[in-house]
């Protein structure tokens, strides 16, 4: 693709909606690739970026809010223009977004608005438990775990598909390790009720078997295909679609996810409720409009979508930045996303396993699992440090 000569004459504006892993990743890379006459504008409603993978360590008291957050204002030091506010309307045809009543337009538009958490769609869930997929929810879960003296801890996935499919499994194993450290493991039972049929179903049976074995060794209960329909906070009871009821003393959950409200209300979603893109270029059907990260759904040959994860959002961000930069300047090459991904899986006691593979492989993703060791845990910590330092 050669640069659009007419466009190359004047400064171009790349408008990025959403300042999560995907939005920041594309903004930072675009800023380093594009000459100064081109603008990179990022729109975000929050004042502080939170590195979500670190919420797991916060759960067991190993990270604080300050450790894992950075002010968005820091982005301005990198030459990224920050617009703080709520995006109320999006017009992909015109590459426009209305932010707190003001219309912004881009020559290129990147939609990276993530997934919205919807605990309220399960009656009683928010009142009965702690949502460890949010910063405030993780803080309340951390305090509850720190003062827990014994009883039944339940980790729940309230829908079969959610971002970072490893996270609730890691949370369960980290909690087990934490209870041993607190010397109250013998006073607790720890169970996971999962809406999905297997751990990390898209990663294949090897990863699932590996997690089940560790759960067995750690004495963790594991109940699959339990779709919660209702929670009674007074009697601390979970009610499932299959008729089973389960009691808990402490409930920690992953809420259902859906596309952000602004996209639902702007009528821009595909049949599956998410944005549709070309899985290699991240282009939407609209001219010079890209979408990436959790807000898109990429169907795979096995009949399930590509898992929503920061590792994919980050890779897609690099690809989109290179493609846009090439289109504007004619330099470098557009980059294709090929479906490669990896995941560290924390198992507690300072160790993690590692899985890596190609998720676009057909008929099934090809994923290899590497046994747990201290080094994989260190690798995850290093990624956290790099993300927060670069900010
Ligand atoms: C506990 C936990 C652990 C995780 N661990 C891992 C891990 O180990 N590895 C991994 O790969 N992934 C992990 N993830 C998943 C990873 O964090 C997400 O997949 C990733 O953040 C997706 O990036 P994104 O840019 O698409 O969306 P997000 O990071 O969610 O960013 C979307 C941004 O858009 C903003 N936004 C939305 N709507 C509006 C609006 N109307 N106006 C203005 N701004 C708006 C939001 O405020 C947000 O900042 C984890 C997630 C959680 C919750």
């Amino acid at each position: 693709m050669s640069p659009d000569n007419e466009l190359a004459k004047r400064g171009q504006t790349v408008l990025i909606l959403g300042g999560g892993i995907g939005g920041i990743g594309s903004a930072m890379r675009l800023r380093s690739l594009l000459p100064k006459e081109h603008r990179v504008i990022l729109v975000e409603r929050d004042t502080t970026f939170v590195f979500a993978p670190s919420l797991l360590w916060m759960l067991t008291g190993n990270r604080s809010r300050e450790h894992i957050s950075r002010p968005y204002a820091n982005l301005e030091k990198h030459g990224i223009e920050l617009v703080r506010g709520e995006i109320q309307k999006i017009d992909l045809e015109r590459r426009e977004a209305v932010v707190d009543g003001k219309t912004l337009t881009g020559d290129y538009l990147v939609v990276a608005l993530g997934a919205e958490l919807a605990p309220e769609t399960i009656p009683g869930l928010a009142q009965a438990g702690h949502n460890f997929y949010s910063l405030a929810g993780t803080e309340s879960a951390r305090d509850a775990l720190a003062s827990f003296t014994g009883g039944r801890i339940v980790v729940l996935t309230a829908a079969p598909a959610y971002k970072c499919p490893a996270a609730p499994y890691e949370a369960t194993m980290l909690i087990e390790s934490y209870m041993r450290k607190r010397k109250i493991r013998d006073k607790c039972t720890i169970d996971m009720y999962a809406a999905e049929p297997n751990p990390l179903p898209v990663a294949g049976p090897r990863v699932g078997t590996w997690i089940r074995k560790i759960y067995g060794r750690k004495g963790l209960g594991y109940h699959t295909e339990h779709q919660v329909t209702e929670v009674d906070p007074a009697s601390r009871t979970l009610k499932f679609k299959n008729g089973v009821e389960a009691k808990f003393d402490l409930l920690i959950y992953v809420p259902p996810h859906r596309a952000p409200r602004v996209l639902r209300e702007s009528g821009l979603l595909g049949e599956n409720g998410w944005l549709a893109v070309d899985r290699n270029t991240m282009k939407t059907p609209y001219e010079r409009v890209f979408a990436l990260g959790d807000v898109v759904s990429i169907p795979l040959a096995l009949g399930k979508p590509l898992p929503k994860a920061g590792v994919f959002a980050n890779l897609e961000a690099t690809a989109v930045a290179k493609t846009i930069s090439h289109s504007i300047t004619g330099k470098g090459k557009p980059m294709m996303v090929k479906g490669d991904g990896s995941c560290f899986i924390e198992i507690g006691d300072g160790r993690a396993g590692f899985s890596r593979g190609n998720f676009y492989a057909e008929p099934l993703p090809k994923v290899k699992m590497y046994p747990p060791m201290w080094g994989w845990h260190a690798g995850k910590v290093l990624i956290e440090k790099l993300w927060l330092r670069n900010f």
Side-chain angles (χ1 to χ4, degrees):
M1 188 164 59
S2 63
D4 178 330
N5 285 335
E6 203 185 317
L7 292 178
K9 280 182 194 156
R10 59 186 175 88
Q12 295 287 285
T13 298
V14 185
L15 181 60
I16 300 170
L17 308 182
I21 288 182
I24 292 176
S26 35
M28 295 282 232
R29 279 170 206 115
L30 274 162
R31 201 53 291 170
S32 70
L33 290 168
L34 287 176
K36 282 210 174 76
E37 72 259 29
H38 305 293
R39 300 172 68 191
V40 177
I41 303 179
L42 184 129
V43 188
E44 170 59 47
R45 64 177 162 213
D46 290 339
T47 48
T48 317
F49 167 77
V50 175
F51 188 64
S54 303
L55 292 175
L56 285 167
W57 293 320
M58 187 188 222
L59 198 58
T60 49
N62 293 310
R63 294 289 185 283
S64 67
R65 181 183 275 255
E66 293 71 34
H67 265 118
I68 66 169
S69 320
R70 293 289 179 274
Y72 274 110
N74 283 4
L75 290 177
E76 287 168 335
K77 286 192 258 172
H78 296 273
I80 296 162
E81 295 173 51
L82 179 66
V83 175
R84 257 217 63 225
E86 181 78 28
I87 303 161
Q88 291 141 337
K89 205 163 176 254
I90 298 175
D91 185 333
L92 296 184
E93 202 94 51
R94 299 159 78 99
R95 295 185 293 278
E96 279 180 3
V98 178
V99 185
D100 292 336
K102 197 176 153 213
T103 302
L104 303 174
T105 310
D107 297 297
Y108 292 80
L109 183 69
V110 179
V111 184
L113 290 169
E116 188 175 286
L117 304 177
E120 70 282 4
T121 54
I122 308 284
L125 182 62
Q127 296 80 353
H130 306 269
N131 167 7
F132 83 97
Y133 265 42
S134 74
L135 181 62
T138 307
E139 283 178 330
S140 69
R142 174 202 59 199
D143 295 345
L145 283 164
S147 57
F148 195 67
T149 52
R152 190 174 198 220
I153 301 173
V154 167
V155 177
L156 172 80
T157 63
Y162 44 86
K163 57 183 159 183
C164 192
Y169 294 89
E170 296 177 276
T172 310
M173 293 187 275
L174 288 169
I175 290 169
E176 192 276 336
S177 163
Y178 182 50
M179 291 300 140
R180 265 188 288 119
K181 204 169 141 202
R182 287 197 52 219
K183 304 203 186 316
I184 58 163
R185 179 66 182 95
D186 56 336
K187 296 191 177 70
C188 311
T189 55
I190 306 172
D191 281 271
M192 178 168 177
Y193 284 84
E196 60 275 14
N198 248 316
L200 287 68
V202 177
R206 240 184 247 165
V207 178
T209 306
W210 178 80
I211 289 184
R212 281 174 185 269
K213 267 194 198 149
I214 300 181
Y215 266 41
R217 280 211 301 270
K218 288 176 176 283
L220 299 166
Y222 183 47
H223 315 268
T224 58
E225 295 182 279
H226 278 62
Q227 174 58 60
V228 69
T229 52
E230 198 185 332
V231 190
D232 181 357
S235 64
R236 297 202 211 116
T237 309
L238 294 157
K239 298 180 183 176
F240 297 98
K241 200 171 169 190
N242 57 11
V244 172
E245 293 195 358
K247 296 272 188 196
F248 60 87
D249 295 300
L250 176 57
L251 176 65
I252 291 174
Y253 68 87
V254 179
H257 295 20
R258 64 186 169 205
R261 193 177 71 180
V262 61
L263 290 171
R264 285 184 280 123
E265 290 179 353
S266 300
L268 295 169
L269 302 172
E271 268 174 32
N272 59 17
W274 301 93
L275 281 179
V277 285
D278 177 293
R279 72 179 195 172
N280 297 118
T281 62
M282 309 313 289
K283 288 180 178 169
T284 68
Y286 303 87
E287 208 185 338
R288 300 201 297 277
V289 178
F290 298 77
L292 54 89
D294 290 353
V295 78
V296 303
S297 178
I298 295 178
L300 300 178
L302 83 163
K304 290 183 167 47
L306 179 75
K308 297 187 187 302
V311 66
F312 294 120
N314 192 40
L315 200 76
E316 291 160 7
T318 304
V320 166
K322 287 190 172 179
T323 303
I324 293 178
S325 160
H326 172 76
S327 169
I328 292 176
T329 64
K331 294 190 181 141
K333 278 190 200 155
M335 181 180 149
M336 296 283 133
V337 177
K338 298 203 177 121
D340 295 318
S342 58
C343 174
F344 296 99
I345 305 175
E346 290 283 296
I347 67 161
D349 307 307
R351 294 192 307 147
F354 183 63
S355 67
R356 179 166 53 194
N358 184 274
F359 287 76
Y360 287 179
E362 295 188 0
L364 294 172
K366 273 195 190 133
V367 182
K368 202 169 166 201
M369 186 74 225
Y370 299 85
M373 57 177 193
W374 173 84
W376 298 129
H377 167 73
K380 191 165 178 167
V381 173
L382 183 66
I383 288 176
E384 175 200 47
K385 288 205 183 314
L386 287 174
W387 253 93
L388 295 170
R389 193 197 64 188
N390 290 344
F391 213 93

